[in-house]
Amino acid sequence: MTALGWQQSAEILCIGTELLLGEVVNTNANYLAAELARLGIPHYYQTVVGDNPTRIKQAIAIACERARLLIFTGGLGPTPDDLTTETIADFFETPLIERPEIIADLDQKFAQRGGYSPSNRKQALLPSGAEILPNPTGTAPGLIWQPRPGLTLMTFPGVPSEMKAMWQQTAVPYLQAQGWGQEMIYSRVLRFWGIPESVLAEKVAAQIALANPTVAPYAGEGEARLRITTKAKSEIEANQLIQPIEQQIRNITGLDCYGTDNDTLAAVVGKLLLARQQTLGVAESCTGGGLGAMLTTLPGSSAYFLGGVISYANAIKINVLGVDGDVLAKAGAVSAIVAGQMAQGGKELLGSDWALSITGIAGPGGGSELKPVGLVFIGLAGPENFLETFEYRFSSQRGRDWIRSLSSRAALDKLRRQLLRGS
Amino acid sequence: MTALGWQQSAEILCIGTELLLGEVVNTNANYLAAELARLGIPHYYQTVVGDNPTRIKQAIAIACERARLLIFTGGLGPTPDDLTTETIADFFETPLIERPEIIADLDQKFAQRGGYSPSNRKQALLPSGAEILPNPTGTAPGLIWQPRPGLTLMTFPGVPSEMKAMWQQTAVPYLQAQGWGQEMIYSRVLRFWGIPESVLAEKVAAQIALANPTVAPYAGEGEARLRITTKAKSEIEANQLIQPIEQQIRNITGLDCYGTDNDTLAAVVGKLLLARQQTLGVAESCTGGGLGAMLTTLPGSSAYFLGGVISYANAIKINVLGVDGDVLAKAGAVSAIVAGQMAQGGKELLGSDWALSITGIAGPGGGSELKPVGLVFIGLAGPENFLETFEYRFSSQRGRDWIRSLSSRAALDKLRRQLLRGS
């Protein structure tokens, strides 16, 4: 397959005033972008424009200059503000012709509903020379059209379920028959905990400098990530290119890399516990149940997660978890010693092999100079009287739920590292 | 306010290869679009482009021709592929100048984390003449710049939480000072629990037929909502238009309407408990801590939320909550009687006035014909031996976390109704 140049790329054009008013999130662009990436079709621009013929034409004019495959979504319906097809025809100065196949299809689709309205008839009009792109799940068909050599247009309805069905059932086979998507883009995300993005980027600078596969750092949800991307004819070929780079990065970063792609710390910890046939309990204060909720997001977590105590009030720390009241009064609820006693008490009460505790100041109130918002202690109790505590000082800038989410994941990470060290 | 013409419009430019690869849904464009609509700023195009200087410059060139306010998101970070600021400077042939204020801000923000890396220093560079758009929640500041008369640029980071904080705290006041957004769109959302959207729409058909304010029903996160919208010069004027319609709707819908705008069931329940100086505890099985986490999202929840037991394993239901083992064996963990005993046991153990329990089958596995996925029992124990249980059969189509979230909110709604009835 020859390398695709600038002109060989696709552009996504989403048409709909609802997008400009912020009433709808543009998930269509996201879906099509991922599909283009998967098919290895380069794609450098997305344009969103309202239901306005002049502006739609301006967007088409620009897109024709910089792409050779124009993918439109939206504006195929029966209402007066659905203008995509007629505006495209107008732009390319081509008459619209009523298609008997579409009329027949509408007759059939509306038979059960008692016939279609006159406005639906507009959906049977396509520019002369355009092929019909059938809509298997809705009434509005799209088109595939080469209005001039080297330029292909495809239109899809804005309803995501209809667009996706058309894309998969009709558009992808067409594109592959045209020679697109012979070589696809594959990528793997490596996920890290306990290392800032900038430090990670410096550690793997040699890999980031590579031309193929490419390695790109980015941050998401409080963790650093690296994306390794390559183009290949098959998943096996892609893997052969990505695997050695992944290994280099894993060698450099060690335990900081906790997983790939859709892995989560909760899932990774779950697998480690399952492999050891060990169980986990939690004792949560500032997270209020969030760590338990994170662990139980996973189906099957009952195999290793027993449960926990949400000891939000100090009385519950003392009466249920058995934290020493004098120690709590002296050191404060947010302290390493209380975190340790919470973990130990939780482990005993719940009868688990491991117990994680979290106590901290999630804010926005409750902080002091000595114990600011963002100060969090994590306790980890385990087999053979294992007990460790950890102190974190998270930034308070992103608010209460951010601190709580970081706390839960930091706790899981500590258990992960301990389980891996112990193996 | 004078009518704003074509040239008076804004364009949103979202920069990031992750958008072109379909890795990220462009919620930033949606948020900013809604905000522009709220401020009454016309907005006709959105452009998405990757981390490529040539293409970013091409997008700027086009946007300059058709809008006079260019709003950029993405590409402000410290890594080499964060190119927005330098590309903008290059396009307008303006040198970048290191800003001591930003360096000072970075020094302060990174002080706790042991200093920033050399790559962060790049974030202190802004084009000569540009003002700093402070980033209250992150490290990357943006800019506000008029590179030439009649053209204003604003840049925001791609991280949605940072972008939103900057938009609200800095950009909106700036735009209003410039005369944008004199007449704004105001809306109030009424939130409902326990009534389907279609039933609600029929009940308030007379209000939905109004021309001003408009009343539109929609569904979100499993609940029905009504949005009352009007255009006004001030919040007071808007309120005078919205308030009577809200009252009509509240009279019709009674207890089904639980709140407005950003109210949550957890917040509403919290306020009711606070007013009664009563406390709440939880006993959670399938939600795994999610109800506790929902309650403690709110700062100050410690005034009424004591804590809870996550009794994921049956042993914890029996040993910690005191559920009768024989009853559990006979009726099953997912049963009204166990839900009741969990609530009662939780209330006693935790010493709270009220206790909510949840036990159910969140799936995807574990269902049977008699007890399908989505079957959930909720228990509510209260003062003077109050005890009620409730059975739900949620649809399993939207998966495990959906069932868990509905369960937690259904539980809160039951307590809400009980507290309101008791008053």
Side-chain angles (χ1 to χ4, degrees):
Chain A
M1 182 183 172
T2 48
L4 294 161
W6 172 271
Q7 287 298 320
Q8 299 273 33
S9 66
E11 176 155 344
I12 297 171
L13 296 105
C14 300
I15 297 172
T17 302
E18 70 278 13
L19 292 164
L20 296 181
L21 292 175
E23 287 162 0
V24 174
V25 176
N26 196 351
T27 56
N28 283 346
N30 175 253
Y31 176 84
L32 290 168
E35 282 292 300
L36 290 172
R38 188 176 70 86
L39 293 166
I41 301 177
H43 153 234
Y44 302 125
Y45 296 95
Q46 293 166 8
T47 300
V48 174
V49 61
D51 302 311
N52 175 294
T54 310
R55 293 186 201 117
I56 295 171
K57 278 190 249 179
Q58 201 218 6
I60 296 172
I62 292 167
C64 288
E65 293 298 309
R66 59 192 188 189
R68 55 168 268 187
L69 173 63
L70 273 45
I71 300 170
F72 295 80
T73 66
L76 301 191
T79 64
D81 62 349
D82 290 310
L83 299 161
T84 302
T85 309
E86 61 195 81
T87 306
I88 288 172
D90 192 26
F91 180 86
F92 291 104
E93 295 172 349
T94 304
L96 289 166
I97 293 174
E98 190 176 270
R99 306 304 176 98
E101 310 96 293
I102 300 177
I103 294 286
D105 187 55
L106 288 174
D107 281 335
Q108 200 202 318
K109 281 177 177 161
F110 279 92
Q112 292 180 333
R113 311 186 216 170
Y116 50 85
S117 69
S119 56
N120 281 107
R121 205 168 176 99
K122 165 174 124 169
Q123 295 177 298
L125 298 170
L126 289 189
S128 169
E131 288 173 62
I132 299 165
L133 190 68
N135 182 338
T137 60
T139 61
L143 62 77
I144 297 184
W145 188 28
Q146 294 209 358
R148 57 191 193 213
L151 179 70
T152 302
L153 273 56
M154 297 180 128
T155 63
F156 298 85
V159 180
S161 60
E162 294 184 21
M163 182 276 290
K164 289 178 191 174
M166 283 171 71
W167 176 262
Q168 292 298 345
Q169 291 175 38
T170 326
V172 170
Y174 174 89
L175 289 168
Q176 288 180 327
Q178 299 282 311
W180 300 92
Q182 306 293 311
E183 192 169 54
M184 308 219 297
I185 293 171
Y186 294 87
S187 70
R188 185 169 303 153
V189 173
L190 301 186
R191 304 176 73 135
F192 297 83
W193 193 266
I195 181 171
E197 185 195 350
S198 54
V199 175
L200 176 63
E202 280 161 30
K203 274 195 176 183
V204 299
Q207 284 71 33
I208 291 174
L210 292 172
N212 182 35
T214 60
V215 176
Y218 66 110
E221 298 164 63
E223 65 182 44
R225 298 176 186 164
L226 291 175
R227 177 176 296 111
I228 314 173
T229 306
T230 192
K231 226 172 190 185
K233 288 201 177 56
S234 69
E235 199 166 341
I236 294 165
E237 188 192 310
N239 207 38
Q240 284 167 347
L241 290 159
I242 289 173
Q243 177 58 35
I245 308 304
E246 176 180 345
Q247 198 50 57
Q248 286 175 21
I249 294 170
R250 283 182 179 273
N251 292 345
I252 294 165
T253 57
L255 281 186
D256 289 339
C257 178
Y258 76 80
T260 58
D261 295 334
N262 295 321
D263 281 345
T264 61
L265 281 161
V268 168
V269 163
K271 270 186 211 150
L272 291 170
L273 288 169
L274 211 55
R276 276 162 187 70
Q277 300 198 297
Q278 290 184 326
T279 57
L280 173 63
V282 297
E284 304 186 52
S285 186
C286 65
T287 46
L291 175 55
M294 203 176 263
L295 282 156
T296 55
T297 288
L298 297 151
S301 46
S302 59
Y304 49 83
F305 179 67
L306 299 186
V309 174
I310 306 170
S311 55
Y312 211 56
N314 286 342
I316 296 179
K317 293 184 185 76
I318 296 165
N319 299 335
V320 182
L321 288 174
V323 170
D324 185 318
D326 293 336
V327 165
L328 194 151
K330 221 166 136 188
V334 179
S335 59
I337 191 161
V338 168
Q341 292 192 2
M342 284 170 65
Q344 248 168 340
K347 179 173 169 290
E348 276 164 39
L349 178 73
L350 305 164
S352 54
D353 297 305
W354 298 92
L356 280 168
S357 69
I358 304 177
T359 178
I361 301 162
S368 64
E369 205 171 328
L370 213 65
K371 295 191 173 180
V373 171
L375 177 67
V376 175
F377 291 91
I378 286 169
L380 174 58
E384 294 165 30
N385 294 318
F386 178 90
L387 182 67
E388 269 197 64
T389 59
F390 309 90
E391 179 179 334
Y392 289 85
R393 287 171 186 266
F394 297 119
S395 159
S396 62
Q397 284 172 336
R398 290 182 64 176
R400 178 175 176 84
D401 279 341
W402 182 251
I403 292 170
R404 283 153 43 100
S405 169
L406 291 177
S407 300
S408 289
R409 287 180 286 155
L412 290 169
D413 187 59
K414 285 302 175 193
L415 175 55
R416 177 184 71 88
R417 288 173 191 259
Q418 186 55 38
L419 290 170
L420 287 169
R421 260 185 233 114
S423 68
Chain B
M1 185 181 167
T2 49
L4 294 161
W6 172 272
Q7 288 297 321
Q8 298 274 31
S9 67
E11 177 156 342
I12 298 171
L13 296 106
C14 300
I15 298 173
T17 302
E18 68 278 12
L19 292 164
L20 296 180
L21 292 174
E23 288 159 359
V24 173
V25 176
N26 197 351
T27 56
N28 283 346
N30 175 254
Y31 176 84
L32 289 169
E35 282 291 299
L36 290 171
R38 188 176 71 87
L39 292 168
I41 300 176
H43 152 234
Y44 302 125
Y45 296 96
Q46 294 166 6
T47 301
V48 175
V49 60
D51 303 310
N52 176 294
T54 310
R55 293 186 200 116
I56 295 171
K57 278 190 251 179
Q58 203 220 3
I60 297 172
I62 292 168
C64 287
E65 293 298 310
R66 60 192 188 189
R68 56 167 265 186
L69 172 63
L70 274 47
I71 300 171
F72 295 81
T73 66
L76 302 191
T79 64
D81 60 352
D82 290 311
L83 298 162
T84 302
T85 309
E86 62 196 80
T87 306
I88 288 173
D90 193 24
F91 180 86
F92 292 102
E93 296 173 349
T94 304
L96 290 165
I97 292 173
E98 190 174 273
R99 305 304 176 95
E101 309 95 294
I102 302 178
I103 293 286
D105 187 55
L106 288 173
D107 281 336
Q108 201 203 320
K109 282 177 177 161
F110 280 92
Q112 292 180 335
R113 312 186 214 170
Y116 50 86
S117 71
S119 53
N120 282 106
R121 204 166 177 101
K122 161 175 127 166
Q123 297 176 297
L125 296 171
L126 289 189
S128 170
E131 285 173 64
I132 299 166
L133 190 67
N135 183 337
T137 61
T139 62
L143 61 78
I144 298 184
W145 189 28
Q146 296 209 358
R148 58 193 193 211
L151 179 70
T152 301
L153 273 56
M154 297 180 129
T155 64
F156 298 85
V159 179
S161 60
E162 294 185 18
M163 183 276 290
K164 289 176 191 176
M166 282 170 73
W167 176 263
Q168 293 298 346
Q169 291 176 37
T170 326
V172 171
Y174 175 89
L175 289 168
Q176 288 180 322
Q178 300 281 311
W180 303 90
Q182 301 296 310
E183 192 172 53
M184 308 216 304
I185 294 169
Y186 292 87
S187 69
R188 184 168 305 152
V189 174
L190 300 188
R191 306 176 73 136
F192 299 83
W193 193 266
I195 181 170
E197 186 193 348
S198 55
V199 175
L200 176 62
E202 281 163 32
K203 278 194 173 184
V204 297
Q207 284 70 34
I208 290 174
L210 292 172
N212 183 34
T214 60
V215 176
Y218 66 110
E221 299 164 63
E223 64 183 44
R225 297 177 187 164
L226 291 174
R227 179 179 291 115
I228 313 173
T229 305
T230 192
K231 218 173 195 181
K233 288 201 178 59
S234 71
E235 201 166 340
I236 294 167
E237 189 191 311
N239 206 38
Q240 284 167 348
L241 290 160
I242 290 174
Q243 176 58 33
I245 309 305
E246 175 179 345
Q247 198 50 55
Q248 288 176 18
I249 294 170
R250 283 182 179 272
N251 291 345
I252 295 165
T253 58
L255 278 187
D256 289 339
C257 177
Y258 76 80
T260 58
D261 296 333
N262 295 320
D263 280 345
T264 61
L265 282 161
V268 169
V269 163
K271 267 184 214 152
L272 291 170
L273 288 169
L274 211 55
R276 278 163 186 69
Q277 299 198 298
Q278 290 185 325
T279 58
L280 173 63
V282 298
E284 303 187 53
S285 185
C286 66
T287 45
L291 175 55
M294 205 176 263
L295 281 157
T296 54
T297 289
L298 298 150
S301 46
S302 58
Y304 49 84
F305 179 66
L306 299 186
V309 174
I310 307 169
S311 56
Y312 211 56
N314 286 343
I316 295 178
K317 292 185 186 74
I318 296 164
N319 300 334
V320 181
L321 287 174
V323 170
D324 184 319
D326 293 335
V327 166
L328 194 151
K330 220 168 138 187
V334 179
S335 59
I337 190 163
V338 168
Q341 292 193 2
M342 284 170 65
Q344 248 168 342
K347 180 173 168 290
E348 276 163 40
L349 178 72
L350 303 163
S352 53
D353 297 305
W354 298 92
L356 280 168
S357 70
I358 304 176
T359 178
I361 301 164
S368 66
E369 206 170 326
L370 214 66
K371 294 192 174 182
V373 171
L375 177 68
V376 175
F377 291 92
I378 285 169
L380 173 59
E384 294 166 29
N385 295 318
F386 178 90
L387 182 68
E388 271 198 62
T389 60
F390 309 91
E391 180 180 334
Y392 289 86
R393 288 173 185 263
F394 297 118
S395 159
S396 61
Q397 282 175 336
R398 292 184 62 175
R400 178 176 177 84
D401 278 342
W402 182 252
I403 292 170
R404 285 155 40 100
S405 168
L406 290 178
S407 301
S408 290
R409 287 179 288 154
L412 290 170
D413 187 58
K414 286 301 177 192
L415 175 55
R416 176 183 72 90
R417 288 173 190 259
Q418 185 55 39
L419 290 171
L420 286 170
R421 261 184 233 115
S423 68

